[in-house]
Amino acid sequence: MRNQPVRIVFILIVLLGVWMPGADAGTINALNAENLYVSGQIVNSHGEAIPEASVTLAVTGNDAPVKKTVLTDGNGRYEFKALFPAGSLLNARILLEARKLSYAPSVRISLLPIRASIDALGSSVYLAEANLTLMRVASPALWISGAVLLFVYVMIGFELVHRTLAALAGATLLLSCSYLVGPFYPDLRIISFEIAARSVDLNVIFLLFSMMMIVGVCEKTGMFQWLAHRCYRISGGRASLLAAVLMILTAVTSSFLDNVTTMLLIIPVTIRIARSLGLNPIALMVPEVFASNVGGTATLIGDPPNIMIGSYTGLTFMDFGLNLGLPCLLVMAVSVLFFLIYYAKDYRDVGKAIESKHPEPAIDFAIKDRRLLFLSLVSLGITIVLFLLHGILKMAPSIAALIGTTILLISVGRRVDIVELLETKVEWSTLVFFAALFTVIAAAQESGLIHLIADGVKSASGDSLIVAVLMILWVSALASAVIDNIPYTATMLPVVAYLTATVPGAQNGVLWWALAMGACLGGNGTLIGASANVVTAGMAEKAGYRIAFAQYLKICLPPMILSIVVCTIWLLAVEL
């Protein structure tokens, strides 16, 4: 009886291990069985993973036939496991099929499993690896996603509705088509909710959110108004010097804050100062907004297109500074010179400062809360240091921004109403716009539209790096002058990624710098080219100074073209 417990345990092991349900094969002796593992990745002709592809595996020609279908994960990988009676895989035929909407009919291949090892129970383990490439085809989904993307562009470009509503309507149309029509007509299932959710770049969302919070606190200190007034003092009332100093201040500020926020903070002070000098504020505001887009081009966090490029590629804050800093300085010097010449008569007519005749209360430009200013500067400094180090720390930029924001909010305590800050200083419409736009672009990518554009650009470049650089730079600049540069950049990210991987010599990342320069600086070309331009025009009109579309085009298109020429010379002479 002493061995009775051992016998009971042995019987349980046999019952649980020996009698196991096979893949439609009845019961299989696990102590003398064969295990089959098949895995691989499904990609397209660009080498990009295909999620949610249907992979069917069939094992025939043995005593335990199997047919099983699995879906690839977000990385395009699939895995198949099955247990078979001993000896049944020796003569088995293993077939693999892969299918996905917007791709050519499935690839069907025959696999030969390789005996790899013996497991702990003495069973043979067979392995098979199969990576498949599916080819794109034009499908109804492609045309629908293309039409929706064009619809969003038109709505935003002509300001028919708010850009957030345009992007949200586009995303809703695509998801509605996929889930309300897709079950009846599978060719119209464009994008799943899971892929749409994965497409939302949280790094971009949280980085924008964090910087909005930091700026919201800094604004309460009066720091930006104080800086603008110091520029007024430094210029001594000389309009030409004031314009140059304000442009430089705006550019530097826009390098670390988004340019829309910079203009919101600096325009009210600019209008006040211009009026005190007897100068039309437009002569200061237009150069300022131009400078804000130039300054925003220089860093990872200065302009939304750069934030999107950095998040998509993993390029660091230092990468942006080292590759875009010097060309932006050159563009800035050319821009200052251009506007000083263009507005020379206006500045000359103003004469010397007349501050004594029109005194302004010093309190308007005084620091409102010095302790809050100190805490804000410390937190902003920590954030910038973390931006500089995030590449070394392998940390997403959004984490650096979140750390700085959290430190600031904890340190200010009750000095700032957090709820009020969330309600009034965070541009929730912008964050929703990005989330919806990512879904629209993901649908275009899923349907093959982006793939088609990338192949077209590559074909036009003829594998020439110089042609590719010029195409990306100039097309981006001209396109961003007509449409909002954010949706344009989102569309071009996978295109440039493909060209960077396939065009000889592009692996140093030069095409990303061409895209950043073109998308950010091109927005200076027209009044609707960048969000900061639209905001500036709105605030100017509210103050009684209307900036017409044609007027802005006449003033800013020449220096925009000139700035792209400078970037062209830089890219061809330095980056290549």
Side-chain angles (χ1 to χ4, degrees), residues 2-34:
R2 213 172 358 173
N3 295 327
Q4 189 67 19
V6 177
R7 292 193 184 97
I8 293 174
V9 172
F10 177 77
I11 292 171
L12 289 174
I13 292 175
V14 171
L15 289 174
L16 294 174
V18 176
W19 300 96
M20 293 181 64
D24 300 328
T27 57
I28 299 174
N29 189 335
L31 295 176
N32 190 21
E34 294 178 340

Side-chain angles (χ1 to χ4, degrees), residues 409-429:
L409 295 178
I410 291 174
S411 62
V412 298
R414 296 183 179 179
R415 302 177 78 90
V416 175
D417 186 343
I418 304 299
V419 175
E420 184 267 340
L421 199 66
L422 288 169
E423 291 177 347
T424 61
K425 301 304 179 183
V426 176
E427 299 174 29
W428 294 106
S429 61

Side-chain angles (χ1 to χ4, degrees), residues 72 255 353:
T72 55
S255 297

